[in-house]
């Protein structure tokens, strides 16, 4: 049991914020799309991979800092 105390969690609070931002962006995009604003929906929908990519980049930086 003591060995498990030092291990990192799978999802940290910062990871949850990144996922929340991506899901919110997708939801807003879908809302705009079905409200008749397809261009705005596509524009906001393109944020999702950028948000997730930024989250991965930050997580890699933090992991390299710990080493």
């Amino acid at each position: 049991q003591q060995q498990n105390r030092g291990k990192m969690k799978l999802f940290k609070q910062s990871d949850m914020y990144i996922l929340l931002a991506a899901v919110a962006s997708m939801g807003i995009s879908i809302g705009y799309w079905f409200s008749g604003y397809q261009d705005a929906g596509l524009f906001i929908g393109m944020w999702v991979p950028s948000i997730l990519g930024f989250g991965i980049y930050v997580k890699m930086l933090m992991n390299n800092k710990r080493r």
Side-chain angles (χ1 to χ4, degrees):
Q1 289 178 348
Q2 290 179 351
Q3 292 175 349
N4 291 337
R5 289 183 187 176
K7 292 186 179 182
M8 296 186 326
K9 293 180 183 179
L10 182 61
F11 290 110
K12 295 183 179 179
Q13 187 174 7
S14 59
D15 297 336
M16 296 307 290
Y17 288 135
I18 295 293
L19 289 173
L20 179 65
V23 169
S25 176
M26 185 180 295
I28 292 169
S29 171
I30 291 170
Y32 272 118
W33 178 269
F34 287 111
S35 295
Y37 299 100
Q38 283 87 12
D39 290 339
L42 287 175
F43 177 72
I44 295 172
M46 290 190 300
W47 297 355
V48 176
S50 300
I51 293 169
L52 294 175
F54 175 74
I56 291 169
Y57 175 72
V58 169
K59 191 166 187 169
M60 287 175 57
L61 285 178
M62 297 305 284
N63 285 338
N64 286 336
K65 230 180 200 184
R66 290 185 188 141
R67 289 182 182 180

